[in-house]
Amino acid sequence: MTDAVAPREGMVISIRTRRDVVVVDPDRFMAAARQALCDRNPGLTDAEAAEAVTDVYDAVHTLLDRDGTLAADAVDGEMVGVGGRRPGARVSGRPDGLSPAGWLQEVVLDDTQPLQDYGCFLPEDPFAVSRARGGVESSPRPE
């Protein structure tokens, strides 16, 4: 457990999240993404959706746009480590063709600057934790 930290003016709070899923049924995965696109664009035909969602990146972004996360319905029961599924155990039969495979969040305080302040020129690795201020604290939280 970390020591109590009071908020202060100018404090940067960063939340870093890692979310893993395993594709267990590629056809279902692509179909779910195309359906997500149609849900957001009711006038779209199946053929137009198939033309718009052609690869993993298209599918992931389409599902994220609609749901905010992949396999959103599984987040609460997706423990990593003790109490979670055994390594290599996959969930099959989900309509989206995905097997949730864990997620973690980390709270990082006092990174050198918020992403907004970089403008159009993000740092080389925007997920790296900057330790330049010397006051960066982090608290990982497996979910």
Side-chain angles (χ1 to χ4, degrees), residues 23-95:
V23 176
V24 293
D25 187 327
D27 293 333
R28 279 190 191 179
F29 173 59
M30 294 302 286
R34 291 173 180 143
Q35 183 58 54
L37 186 62
C38 289
D39 291 349
R40 292 190 60 133
N41 303 281
L44 213 59
T45 66
D46 290 343
E48 291 169 327
E51 188 174 310
V53 179
T54 60
D55 67 12
V56 171
Y57 292 105
D58 294 340
V60 168
H61 287 292
T62 301
L63 289 167
L64 290 175
D65 287 346
R66 184 188 69 184
D67 301 330
T69 187
L70 293 176
D73 61 333
V75 172
D76 290 335
E78 206 180 332
M79 295 179 68
V80 176
V82 177
R85 281 192 297 279
R86 296 186 59 78
R90 305 292 182 238
V91 175
S92 61
R94 289 176 47 91

Side-chain angles (χ1 to χ4, degrees), residues 63-135:
L63 289 167
L64 290 175
D65 287 346
R66 184 188 69 184
D67 301 330
T69 187
L70 293 176
D73 61 333
V75 172
D76 290 335
E78 206 180 332
M79 295 179 68
V80 176
V82 177
R85 281 192 297 279
R86 296 186 59 78
R90 305 292 182 238
V91 175
S92 61
R94 289 176 47 91
D96 59 9
L98 298 173
S99 176
W103 70 291
L104 298 170
Q105 285 188 325
E106 179 180 33
V107 175
V108 178
L109 303 180
D110 287 329
D111 210 336
T112 52
Q113 67 188 72
L115 292 173
Q116 173 188 5
D117 293 353
Y118 287 98
C120 296
F121 304 101
L122 289 175
E124 185 176 323
D125 183 357
F127 294 99
V129 177
S130 171
R131 307 241 182 241
R133 278 177 123 168

